[in-house]
Amino acid sequence: MDCGSQTGSIPDSPRSSHLAIDIGGSLIKLVYCSRGSGESAADENCCSSTESAKISNGINFHSLRGGRLHFQTFETSKVADCIEFIRSKKTDFGGGWHLEGSKEKNVIKATGGGAYKFADLFKEQLDIVLDKQDEMDCLVAGANFLLKAVHHEAFTYRDGVKDFVQINDKDLFPYLLVNIGSGVSMIKVDGIGKFERVSGTSVGGGTFLGLGKLLTQCKSFDELLELSHKGNNRVVDMLVGDIYGGNDYNKIGLASTNIASSFGKAISEDKELHEYQPEDISRSLLRMISNNIGQISYLNALRYGLKRIFFGGFFICGHAYTMDTISVAVHYWSKGEAEALFLRHEGFLGALGALMSYNIDKSSLLQGQIS
Amino acid sequence: MDCGSQTGSIPDSPRSSHLAIDIGGSLIKLVYCSRGSGESAADENCCSSTESAKISNGINFHSLRGGRLHFQTFETSKVADCIEFIRSKKTDFGGGWHLEGSKEKNVIKATGGGAYKFADLFKEQLDIVLDKQDEMDCLVAGANFLLKAVHHEAFTYRDGVKDFVQINDKDLFPYLLVNIGSGVSMIKVDGIGKFERVSGTSVGGGTFLGLGKLLTQCKSFDELLELSHKGNNRVVDMLVGDIYGGNDYNKIGLASTNIASSFGKAISEDKELHEYQPEDISRSLLRMISNNIGQISYLNALRYGLKRIFFGGFFICGHAYTMDTISVAVHYWSKGEAEALFLRHEGFLGALGALMSYNIDKSSLLQGQIS
């Protein structure tokens, strides 16, 4: 999963100051602050402004007050590329990163399972110690930072329309945070640093890409998502109308167009896999997984009386159909009582949270005193 | 989906008296009462005893007080076979079925979407009118009948051990009924005829067979289930330990062997579909779907304060791994608070419910006055 941001170099070769990394099952997410070439940092608080832009090679970056916040991803299977990238940044910065309060020079904050899995590799290859940060702590810290400090971070999405929502600080908690990476974590967030992972599902982004790769010739998440645009899930899904002879099942509120069984049409037809269009398969898969996540999320929100569900993680990738399906699922199951919200920096919650764990001036970030 | 009971004829060519049919998206389930050859019916209440046996050709049947209750399935795509079967029974019975209180001779009780979809076909081919019964009404009536009238109907299943549970009449309601056919319906049952369909999911038996057919060379549900016995889901699923370098993620209670992402291992490996063992794929698929149903069922049971969840529908098919996965899921998510129960006549709830809707003496059936 990469949303097109894996390759390409940061154009202005900034001198890095803080770098944090979130190594998940599929993707490595990396965030680093730089003072920028020709810019001088006003203070250590390098992550203090958020005017975002998408540059031509697909990397999101942000102008900072006195610096820049950079976002980068690599496939976890290509961890060597990530190591090379960090090596280049290390040279830029002059040889290492400081961990405040520690004598050690080459230490970076790291979260996700890969902080454990690849600790030895980073030490061997880069002489860098990964300072492990709890994954849930980081997801929540990243989400809280974004929701409190960043203007136009959260939005609703229905029928192709994105509506930005600015949430009053005092009205933010509690909420449900659903992070959709390879797998899915659902976290009830009650305040800064106050949270509980209440649920999750193994049917997530890894399932979409894993099954998608097996069922189509796609090699990447982007390619699979792109295919889904053009597909028609009704070719593979069994609809209520397929069972009811074109009729609705009104008594229980099921329209003939509702999906009764995902991939259910593949049961009765004597078609081989290659006779299906990969577009249709991709769309059915995306819908099945997005709808399922929306449903389980809603049931957990209901359980704890949470009205807002924020969806993050790289699976969403700003993709219209994914967001629409999740929104419709939450709306359908909650009968309009709960609301799905999305985050502009969805994929980088964990990495941002790890970045927050440096001894930078978080108070200004978290109190929304940012230009 | 057939669990091996599609073919074969009833050995003693009984003369049918009542026949009811449940035509789902994948399977037609047919139940009929016969007086049996050489047996005389004591009364019209032909469905009054339940000593079951499995005969050599895979058909379950039941000795009855004065008759027999027969169960038969056909693939919905082979509705013509079902029509032929009914034609043969019609002849046995002497030309038709009576619908009490109606002047029409050739009427049978029918439920499921196919009662609508195939109504014209039955009229044309057999001169039979399908008297449509609501699907949810029938599922609930069938389940209530079985749970109240049939000894050793419900059981728990853990670690290969089946424990029959006899539930006190007064302690039966409320419960959650989860019927897993092509799709899944979840029904809160509060009493005889008192219920609400509260949830469902499109990820059901049709998804297992549909995706299974696309991913393996399997042609049937039985074949796919058989394969799953021998498979190892860890070959395709991404485990917590795969992400965490073999470690547990103790803080949130995830063991290294927990599945983080179903089919997630297929992301990073450059393996083509044909390089995977179909056994492993089938097992991963079965586990993903069973676990997902278990989780959503539990969340709905929790929502309504229901301690018992009864799982029915042909997907389960008495299959050890399916039941074990569902049981573990309910136990895991509920922290032992809720219990998964299974039904011996799991696949025939709807058809039995339709049979109940004949004007037979239900009171004796439903008050447990059955030998």
Side-chain angles (χ1 to χ4, degrees):
Chain A
M1 288 185 278
D2 63 74
C3 294
S5 59
Q6 268 153 285
T7 58
S9 61
I10 302 296
D12 55 356
S13 276
R15 290 169 63 85
S16 309
S17 55
H18 286 103
L19 184 149
I21 190 166
D22 173 10
I23 312 178
S26 310
L27 272 189
I28 302 174
K29 285 77 65 176
L30 193 148
V31 182
Y32 65 97
C33 303
S34 70
R35 293 173 182 172
S37 51
E39 291 177 32
S40 65
D43 52 38
E44 271 300 292
N45 178 7
C46 61
C47 313
S48 54
S49 180
T50 57
E51 188 57 36
S52 83
K54 187 141 187 161
I55 56 174
S56 59
N57 65 359
I59 300 173
N60 286 306
F61 74 102
H62 297 254
S63 300
L64 298 164
R65 190 174 67 199
R68 279 180 171 177
L69 192 53
H70 302 261
F71 298 87
Q72 185 76 338
T73 60
F74 304 86
E75 288 181 25
T76 304
S77 59
K78 294 176 183 164
V79 62
D81 291 354
C82 173
I83 285 176
E84 276 319 298
F85 180 84
I86 294 177
R87 195 193 305 281
S88 73
K89 294 294 122 192
K90 192 176 170 187
T91 310
D92 285 343
F93 184 62
W97 289 267
H98 276 283
L99 178 63
E100 287 79 359
S102 159
K103 286 177 183 169
E104 235 170 324
K105 193 176 179 189
N106 289 323
V107 175
I108 59 177
K109 300 282 188 182
T111 189
Y116 296 80
K117 184 173 181 176
F118 297 115
D120 291 347
L121 190 72
F122 274 74
K123 183 70 188 158
E124 281 165 26
Q125 301 268 316
L126 288 171
D127 195 27
I128 277 180
V129 172
L130 298 183
D131 183 33
K132 299 175 193 72
Q133 305 297 307
D134 179 73
E135 188 175 337
M136 300 300 132
D137 281 343
C138 289
L139 288 172
V140 171
N144 281 340
F145 163 63
L146 290 169
L147 288 167
K148 284 188 163 270
V150 179
H151 187 60
H152 277 184
E153 177 62 30
F155 58 92
T156 59
Y157 194 91
R158 285 299 293 271
D159 303 323
V161 179
K162 191 186 266 194
D163 274 323
F164 284 100
V165 177
Q166 193 60 40
I167 297 150
N168 189 301
D169 252 25
K170 289 174 185 157
D171 189 35
L172 175 59
F173 304 113
Y175 66 85
L176 188 71
L177 175 62
V178 179
N179 193 68
I180 317 175
S182 304
V184 184
S185 282
M186 298 177 186
I187 310 166
K188 177 167 77 83
V189 184
D190 293 309
I192 302 291
K194 285 174 64 182
F195 65 88
E196 183 189 358
R197 183 186 190 274
V198 292
S199 198
T201 165
S202 70
V203 186
T207 314
F208 177 59
L209 183 53
L211 274 175
K213 274 190 167 181
L214 295 179
L215 289 165
T216 71
Q217 299 298 311
C218 281
K219 295 290 176 205
S220 75
F221 186 75
D222 285 355
E223 202 184 335
L224 197 60
L225 265 190
E226 184 60 32
L227 271 186
S228 74
H229 280 294
K230 311 165 202 157
N232 177 4
N233 69 297
R234 297 182 185 191
V235 177
V236 283
D237 289 342
M238 185 187 282
L239 307 185
V240 169
D242 293 325
I243 303 176
Y244 272 76
N247 297 294
D248 298 335
Y249 183 1
N250 282 323
K251 193 173 166 187
I252 56 171
L254 292 178
S256 65
T257 51
N258 282 156
I259 299 173
S261 176
S262 294
F263 286 89
K265 233 173 226 164
I267 285 182
S268 51
E269 294 186 21
D270 288 328
K271 277 164 78 173
E272 302 277 327
L273 178 56
H274 68 268
E275 295 173 83
Y276 286 93
Q277 296 299 317
E279 291 85 348
D280 300 336
I281 286 177
S282 170
R283 194 163 178 107
S284 169
L285 204 52
L286 186 62
R287 187 148 168 180
M288 176 179 88
I289 293 170
S290 302
N291 186 58
N292 195 62
I293 293 171
Q295 182 179 10
I296 297 177
S297 300
Y298 159 66
L299 286 167
N300 277 290
L302 181 72
R303 177 179 179 182
Y304 296 105
L306 312 171
K307 294 287 180 199
R308 290 199 199 99
I309 309 174
F310 292 98
F311 290 89
F314 248 97
F315 171 71
I316 297 169
C317 234
H319 188 255
Y321 192 63
T322 308
M323 294 192 292
D324 214 49
T325 307
I326 290 176
S327 294
V328 168
V330 169
H331 192 266
Y332 175 83
W333 291 109
S334 75
K335 298 189 172 79
E337 292 287 307
E339 190 169 42
L341 291 120
F342 303 93
L343 300 169
R344 231 162 16 110
H345 298 87
E346 53 193 16
F348 291 93
L349 304 184
L352 279 168
L355 195 73
M356 299 292 110
S357 70
Y358 283 107
N359 189 23
I360 52 180
D361 181 6
K362 286 185 289 293
S363 63
S364 67
L365 297 177
L366 294 171
Q367 285 163 20
Q369 301 166 350
I370 296 158
S371 59
Chain B
M1 288 185 278
D2 63 75
C3 294
S5 60
Q6 267 150 287
T7 57
S9 60
I10 302 296
D12 56 357
S13 276
R15 289 168 64 87
S16 309
S17 55
H18 287 103
L19 183 149
I21 189 166
D22 172 9
I23 312 179
S26 312
L27 272 191
I28 302 175
K29 284 77 64 176
L30 193 147
V31 182
Y32 64 97
C33 303
S34 70
R35 291 170 184 174
S37 51
E39 291 177 33
S40 65
D43 53 38
E44 272 299 292
N45 179 8
C46 62
C47 313
S48 54
S49 182
T50 57
E51 189 55 36
S52 83
K54 187 143 185 161
I55 56 175
S56 59
N57 65 358
I59 299 172
N60 285 306
F61 74 103
H62 297 255
S63 301
L64 297 165
R65 191 175 65 200
R68 279 181 172 176
L69 192 53
H70 302 260
F71 299 86
Q72 184 76 339
T73 61
F74 304 86
E75 287 181 25
T76 304
S77 59
K78 294 175 182 166
V79 62
D81 291 353
C82 173
I83 286 176
E84 277 318 298
F85 180 83
I86 295 177
R87 196 193 304 281
S88 73
K89 295 293 123 194
K90 193 176 170 187
T91 311
D92 286 343
F93 186 62
W97 288 269
H98 276 283
L99 178 64
E100 288 79 358
S102 161
K103 287 177 183 170
E104 237 171 327
K105 192 177 178 190
N106 289 323
V107 175
I108 59 177
K109 301 282 189 182
T111 189
Y116 296 81
K117 184 174 182 177
F118 297 114
D120 292 347
L121 190 72
F122 274 73
K123 184 70 188 156
E124 281 165 27
Q125 302 267 317
L126 288 172
D127 195 27
I128 277 180
V129 173
L130 298 182
D131 183 32
K132 299 174 192 71
Q133 305 297 308
D134 179 73
E135 188 174 335
M136 299 300 131
D137 282 342
C138 288
L139 287 172
V140 171
N144 281 340
F145 162 63
L146 290 169
L147 288 167
K148 284 185 163 272
V150 179
H151 188 60
H152 277 183
E153 176 62 30
F155 58 91
T156 59
Y157 194 92
R158 285 299 293 273
D159 303 322
V161 178
K162 191 186 265 196
D163 274 323
F164 284 100
V165 176
Q166 193 60 39
I167 297 150
N168 189 300
D169 252 25
K170 289 174 185 158
D171 189 36
L172 175 60
F173 305 112
Y175 66 85
L176 188 71
L177 175 62
V178 179
N179 193 68
I180 317 175
S182 305
V184 184
S185 281
M186 297 177 185
I187 310 167
K188 177 166 76 83
V189 184
D190 293 308
I192 303 291
K194 285 173 63 182
F195 64 88
E196 184 189 357
R197 183 186 190 273
V198 292
S199 199
T201 166
S202 71
V203 187
T207 313
F208 177 59
L209 183 53
L211 274 174
K213 274 189 166 181
L214 295 179
L215 289 165
T216 71
Q217 299 298 311
C218 282
K219 295 292 177 204
S220 75
F221 186 75
D222 285 354
E223 203 183 335
L224 197 59
L225 265 190
E226 183 60 33
L227 270 185
S228 74
H229 280 293
K230 310 166 202 156
N232 178 5
N233 69 298
R234 297 181 185 192
V235 177
V236 284
D237 290 342
M238 185 187 281
L239 307 186
V240 169
D242 292 325
I243 303 176
Y244 271 77
N247 297 294
D248 298 335
Y249 183 0
N250 282 324
K251 193 173 167 188
I252 56 171
L254 292 178
S256 65
T257 51
N258 282 156
I259 300 172
S261 176
S262 295
F263 286 89
K265 231 173 229 166
I267 285 181
S268 51
E269 293 186 21
D270 288 329
K271 276 165 78 174
E272 303 277 327
L273 177 55
H274 68 268
E275 296 172 81
Y276 286 93
Q277 296 299 317
E279 291 85 347
D280 301 335
I281 287 177
S282 170
R283 193 163 179 106
S284 170
L285 204 52
L286 186 61
R287 186 148 171 181
M288 175 179 89
I289 293 170
S290 302
N291 185 58
N292 195 62
I293 293 171
Q295 182 179 11
I296 297 177
S297 299
Y298 159 66
L299 286 167
N300 278 290
L302 181 72
R303 178 179 179 182
Y304 295 105
L306 312 172
K307 295 286 180 201
R308 289 200 198 99
I309 310 174
F310 292 98
F311 290 89
F314 248 97
F315 171 71
I316 297 168
C317 234
H319 189 256
Y321 192 63
T322 308
M323 294 193 291
D324 213 48
T325 306
I326 290 175
S327 294
V328 168
V330 169
H331 191 266
Y332 174 84
W333 291 109
S334 74
K335 297 189 172 80
E337 292 288 307
E339 190 169 41
L341 292 121
F342 303 92
L343 300 169
R344 231 161 19 108
H345 298 87
E346 52 191 18
F348 291 94
L349 305 183
L352 280 168
L355 195 74
M356 299 292 111
S357 70
Y358 283 107
N359 188 23
I360 51 180
D361 181 6
K362 287 186 289 293
S363 63
S364 67
L365 297 177
L366 293 172
Q367 286 163 20
Q369 301 166 349
I370 297 159
S371 59

